[in-house]
Amino acid sequence: MTFPLPVLSLGARNVCELLFIFGLITYLNFVSVPNDYHKSKVLVPEVEPQTNFNHVVFGLLGSEKALHDRKHYIESWWRPNVTRGVFYLDKAPTGDLMPWSDASPPFRVSDDLTKFLQETKARRPKNIRMVHGIMELVRDMRDANLRWVVMGDDDSIFFVENIIDILGGFDHRKYYYIGGRSEFIMANYWYSFNQGFGGAGFILSYPLAKALASDMENCLRRYAQFFTSDTMTMSCIADIGVNLSPHKGFHQIDLHGDLSGFLSSHPKSPLLSLHHLGTVKPIFPGMDTHQSIRHLMEAATADQSRMLQQTICYHRQSNWSLSISWGYSAHIYEQIMPRSHLQRPLETFKPWKARPSRPLYMFDTRLLSNNSCYEPHVFFFEKVDKVSMGIFTTYSRARTRGLPPCSLTSQYKPDLISQITVVSPPTKRKEKDRCECCDVVGVGGTGTSVEVKLRECGLNEVIA
Ligand SMILES: *[C@@H]1O[C@H](CO)[C@@H](O)[C@H](O)[C@H]1NC(C)=O
Ligand SMILES: *[C@@H]1O[C@H](CO)[C@@H](O)[C@H](O)[C@H]1NC(C)=O
Ligand SMILES: *[C@@H]1O[C@H](CO)[C@@H](O)[C@H](O)[C@H]1NC(C)=O
């Protein structure tokens, strides 16, 4: 006699309820099954462990030539002996890549597909190699415990703890294709609104990855003439009967220029990936790309769950609005502005390709202006200190704003502020249906710093 396992919707069910259900199942098994049956059968159904690093495998694809400059991307997020995965290269590494670093995932050389490419006259051989990589990963990492496969490029940066946490909320026994669209509206139009853009990374449940792998050769034959590997992957997955589950934490970054506006108004969703950081301006002033990424990761190491999460609060006496993007930036505005407005990224950036007209982006934006009442004073993440009572992140002013004050009569002087300290709880924040709230303290007439304390919002608290 068997009982179906209750589906664990993780995080949603309370432990007592589960214990009660399992207790009941055990008891029912015990009273209703003949005695000799017990000897050969484990009676207590095991609670499936929470999804952890062992259940997730990363498949990364890159070229040997580009890797000499790109290795630092992968090593910024890879956790040796913790994350599992394979880095597929087009040919064996040479020169300064050898001996192969412990700080990188183990590499393999991709399968030789010459014959297949000749036979199919594939439009872009590189794409075939990328999609075929999914099959190679499933083949090379056979393991009964696997639940998820994450595919990415050599310049994708993953926030691995957040990935593990969000995957805990999905049923890994089902078919899932989780990814992100392009920020640039035309890229979705040109390729597909239904595809996960591969630079941002996409995630397949292991059953789906296996199904895709077993049909790989046919799938590649069907779509050999497609222009991008992401469109091929999407099409093969669609043929299995599965479509994209978009997640707002993936970032293809089909943008150019200054990303600060984008990274300062992240959607209320855990940050999962960033891509193309080598094709935009370094994200922190006064640093190069490599240093900026390392700097961002210092914050991510202290608390990945709050990374780039936007928290907004007001200081009523001064009419200031403060917007914090945890681990990245802090803004002071000299008037009270609703959260719905501050959630729109300031359009500091440009689209991937110049366009004659809007729409350009898949999200709302705010235009830059020279109006003192609308332009923020901008501070960037400088350092993080983790102590038992909380995490202190400090944000420093990058430059003077260069505009007169919004109110000429106000006693409060935001131009004097050079530093903002944000205090957040020492514990990571589980994905919640609601953002955090904050309180501003220490705003004085001539003070040069203010402090912002993050906390859970009150039950009926309205941020206005
Ligand atoms: C990873 O594990 C191996 C074997 O246990 C060990 O030799 C190596 O030092 C570890 N590497 C790191 C970076 O912890
Ligand atoms: C804050 O805004 C209110 C309403 O616009 C105004 O009456 C008040 O003087 C402002 N206070 C300061 C300190 O600017
Ligand atoms: C703001 O003013 C400066 C100097 O006059 C000008 O160069 C810049 O384009 C203006 N910015 C906007 C968004 O209007």
Side-chain angles (χ1 to χ4, degrees), residues 161 165 301-307 326 386-392 423-432 436 454-456:
E161 285 170 35
D165 286 345
T301 305
D303 184 353
Q304 212 160 90
S305 68
R306 286 189 174 76
M307 223 34 223
W326 198 94
K386 195 168 184 174
V387 295
S388 60
M389 58 177 284
I391 303 178
F392 292 74
V423 189
S424 53
T427 45
K428 87 174 181 187
R429 195 164 189 261
K430 293 274 180 201
E431 190 178 4
K432 291 258 168 73
E436 281 183 298
L454 303 195
R455 57 171 172 82
E456 292 301 331

Side-chain angles (χ1 to χ4, degrees), residues 113-132 217 219-229 232:
L113 300 172
T114 317
K115 208 166 136 249
F116 183 78
L117 291 171
Q118 281 164 357
E119 213 179 293
T120 54
K121 300 190 178 63
R123 184 159 171 192
R124 290 182 132 196
K126 181 173 159 255
N127 293 344
I128 302 278
R129 180 172 84 86
M130 305 278 282
V131 183
H132 199 259
E217 201 175 315
C219 131
L220 291 176
R221 277 181 209 284
R222 286 196 294 277
Y223 302 114
Q225 301 315 314
F226 276 20
F227 196 66
T228 74
S229 56
M232 292 169 86

Side-chain angles (χ1 to χ4, degrees), residues 255-358:
L255 303 172
H256 278 307
D258 173 5
L259 275 195
S260 64
F262 183 76
L263 299 179
S264 297
S265 294
H266 191 269
K268 205 210 79 51
S269 201
L271 173 65
L272 303 181
S273 74
L274 291 171
H275 178 234
H276 276 157
L277 291 188
T279 56
V280 294
K281 270 173 65 177
I283 59 173
F284 288 108
M287 294 187 189
D288 65 20
T289 300
H290 189 167
Q291 291 165 332
S292 306
I293 295 170
R294 268 207 312 238
H295 190 52
L296 190 73
M297 284 298 170
E298 284 167 25
T301 305
D303 184 353
Q304 212 160 90
S305 68
R306 286 189 174 76
M307 223 34 223
L308 300 194
Q309 298 304 298
Q310 190 184 15
T311 312
I312 290 162
C313 45
Y314 305 105
H315 186 259
R316 290 285 162 190
Q317 294 87 332
S318 57
N319 286 342
W320 289 359
S321 304
L322 280 92
S323 167
I324 312 299
S325 170
W326 198 94
Y328 181 66
S329 71
H331 291 174
I332 299 178
Y333 294 87
E334 293 178 45
Q335 68 168 329
I336 303 292
M337 286 200 265
R339 194 175 136 74
S340 55
H341 184 69
L342 296 178
Q343 278 181 321
R344 298 166 164 246
L346 269 170
E347 211 177 300
T348 56
F349 43 83
K350 303 236 171 327
W352 183 250
K353 286 216 161 77
R355 299 292 299 164
S357 61
R358 294 175 181 269

Side-chain angles (χ1 to χ4, degrees), residues 13 43 59 63 82 99 113 139 148 158 185 213 233-234 246 393 462:
R13 282 216 176 220
L43 282 178
S63 76
V82 176
L113 300 172
R139 179 193 66 201
W148 299 97
F158 288 114
I185 198 164
T233 305
M234 171 202 72
T393 44
V462 173

Side-chain angles (χ1 to χ4, degrees), residues 345-419:
L346 269 170
E347 211 177 300
T348 56
F349 43 83
K350 303 236 171 327
W352 183 250
K353 286 216 161 77
R355 299 292 299 164
S357 61
R358 294 175 181 269
L360 298 173
Y361 307 109
M362 294 292 285
F363 46 84
D364 304 334
T365 61
R366 279 180 283 158
L367 295 181
L368 299 172
S369 78
N370 277 329
N371 182 328
S372 307
C373 302
Y374 286 94
E375 280 305 286
H377 296 262
V378 179
F379 304 74
F380 286 99
F381 168 64
E382 183 179 296
K383 64 177 172 43
V384 58
D385 293 305
K386 195 168 184 174
V387 295
S388 60
M389 58 177 284
I391 303 178
F392 292 74
T393 44
T394 308
Y395 305 79
S396 295
R397 186 188 285 274
R399 55 187 166 269
T400 56
R401 192 176 59 154
L403 295 173
C406 169
S407 158
L408 294 170
T409 56
S410 174
Q411 69 187 96
Y412 296 95
K413 311 280 180 221
D415 279 315
L416 296 179
I417 307 291
S418 59
Q419 187 169 293

Side-chain angles (χ1 to χ4, degrees), residues 16-50:
C16 299
E17 209 177 310
L18 277 176
L19 286 177
F20 173 76
I21 294 167
F22 288 134
L24 190 67
I25 291 169
T26 314
Y27 172 76
L28 288 175
N29 261 327
F30 217 86
V31 295
S32 59
V33 208
N35 247 339
D36 56 342
Y37 194 80
H38 290 138
K39 294 192 188 95
S40 58
K41 193 99 179 167
V42 179
L43 282 178
V44 185
E46 287 195 20
V47 182
E48 289 219 297
Q50 268 282 4

